[in-house]
Amino acid sequence: MRFTKMQGAGNDYIYLNGFEPLPADLNKLSCQMSDRHFGIGSDGLVVIMPSTRCDFRMRMFNSDGTEAEMCGNASRCVAKYVYDKGLTSKKELTLETQAGVKRLTLHTQNGVVTRVTVDMGEPILSASDIPVNLSINPVVAYPIEVGESTFAITCVSMGNPHAVIFLDDMNRYDLHRIGKLIEHHKLFPRRTNVEFVEVLSPRDLRMRVWERGAGETLACGTGACASLVAAVLTGRAHRRATLHLLGGDLSIEWNEQNNRVYMTGEAVTVFEGEWPDSNMDKYGIG
């Protein structure tokens, strides 16, 4: 089975062509292929499939096998995959995800996609829709106890749930411990992604992310979008800013006219290879 390893701002996934026959148990397949010691190594698995209402459809699975609604970095890589491999010649694409339809604008150089702008849609701020087990709307700077500390969380959904925390110096905190505790906190019935953000200026934010089902990753596109929205809601940032993530930079805009969030960033092919059938037999993936 052929695969392509790709990354956007260091958020790395394994991409499979779902126009061809694939194993039935994609959850287990994601666990095995994503393993960084015994597999290829990735934040998860992305399957590119036909769609009845869009140009393409994307399904994505975290490295723990759980299926997620959407990933902004992965959607950019999907655009590069389908264009570079000749599955489309269009530079404006629609992509079906479990978080709705996303619109992608491809930026090419010498016939190859280098960057992609994703229309991420309108941020969801209703607690019940994020979802958060609270009756206040929006959930802005809400105090939450984690261990012996209290943090102010601002909750946003970009098709998947996010809890954003602003810190003056994130190096003072054990972000892995805090991220895991908040991910599984009783406030979040479907768990949550957690973003830790330092405001360098109204147009520059530094962010680290604890991703639901994957742990800390080098980048999260929906998390970067949620972080900018949270920064605007709390008066910390302008509506257009650069988010500095461990894996690279993302340009994010929360458009005041149409309320939609736009994300622009790189999409990079790392390598391609073949996953042996013997591996699937070994792990009982048929």
Side-chain angles (χ1 to χ4, degrees):
M1 180 178 65
R2 298 291 301 176
F3 69 85
T4 302
K5 174 76 175 287
M6 307 180 78
Q7 62 91 4
N11 204 187
D12 62 334
Y13 288 91
I14 300 159
Y15 293 78
L16 300 180
N17 184 349
F19 289 79
E20 301 174 354
L22 293 176
D25 194 342
L26 295 174
N27 307 82
K28 184 181 288 188
L29 183 65
S30 181
C31 291
Q32 299 303 333
M33 297 184 80
S34 299
D35 191 292
R36 295 191 184 274
H37 298 287
F38 299 102
I40 298 163
S42 70
D43 293 328
L45 177 70
V46 174
V47 181
I48 303 164
M49 310 171 69
S51 171
T52 58
R53 60 190 183 117
C54 294
D55 294 306
F56 298 94
R57 178 187 174 203
M58 176 181 84
R59 290 184 68 189
M60 64 163 298
F61 301 84
N62 296 312
S63 57
D64 69 352
T66 56
E67 187 166 2
E69 301 91 344
M70 166 62 183
C71 173
N73 291 320
S75 66
R76 297 200 312 275
C77 290
V78 168
K80 178 176 177 62
Y81 183 104
V82 297
Y83 186 88
D84 288 0
K85 289 185 174 297
L87 299 179
T88 184
S89 60
K90 298 168 64 173
K91 294 186 179 180
E92 299 281 342
L93 298 175
T94 55
L95 181 65
E96 179 184 352
T97 76
Q98 295 220 43
V101 175
K102 305 302 175 185
R103 290 169 172 78
L104 315 175
T105 301
L106 286 59
H107 310 285
T108 62
Q109 186 174 1
N110 298 323
V112 174
V113 173
T114 56
R115 293 170 65 80
V116 178
T117 298
V118 185
D119 178 350
M120 300 291 288
E122 299 186 44
I124 298 168
L125 302 177
S126 168
S128 61
D129 293 332
I130 292 174
V132 186
N133 290 327
L134 290 171
S135 58
I136 58 175
N137 289 299
V139 181
V140 175
Y142 182 84
I144 180 175
E145 292 187 8
V146 180
E148 298 177 353
S149 302
T150 300
F151 298 95
I153 59 171
T154 297
C155 297
V156 180
S157 172
M158 294 302 307
N160 53 0
H162 296 271
V164 182
I165 300 172
F166 294 96
L167 301 172
D168 292 332
D169 180 8
M170 65 178 70
N171 293 326
R172 293 171 46 204
Y173 299 91
D174 183 348
L175 302 188
H176 285 211
R177 174 178 170 272
I178 297 167
K180 185 174 183 179
L181 289 172
I182 294 178
E183 175 191 352
H184 295 277
H185 195 280
K186 62 183 179 181
L187 278 178
F188 303 102
R190 288 165 49 194
R191 298 186 293 163
T192 189
N193 302 284
V194 187
E195 284 74 36
F196 304 96
V197 181
E198 285 184 21
V199 179
L200 306 179
S201 78
R203 295 194 182 278
D204 287 278
L205 310 177
R206 178 181 295 126
M207 185 192 102
R208 286 175 63 183
V209 57
W210 178 270
E211 288 203 57
R212 177 187 57 170
E216 183 173 23
T217 62
L218 295 182
C220 176
T222 56
C225 295
S227 294
L228 179 66
V229 170
V232 173
L233 291 174
T234 57
R236 289 178 164 90
H238 298 315
R239 284 180 169 263
R240 179 179 293 178
T242 299
L243 275 288
H244 304 285
L245 291 75
L246 293 179
D249 294 347
L250 294 174
S251 299
I252 311 294
E253 177 189 1
W254 185 14
N255 189 284
E256 191 169 9
Q257 302 302 315
N258 62 15
N259 197 42
R260 302 180 78 84
V261 181
Y262 298 89
M263 172 189 61
T264 302
E266 66 176 0
V268 178
T269 297
V270 182
F271 61 85
E272 297 186 320
E274 185 168 348
W275 183 255
D277 291 341
S278 58
N279 280 357
M280 288 185 280
D281 294 337
K282 176 181 177 181
Y283 297 114
I285 304 170

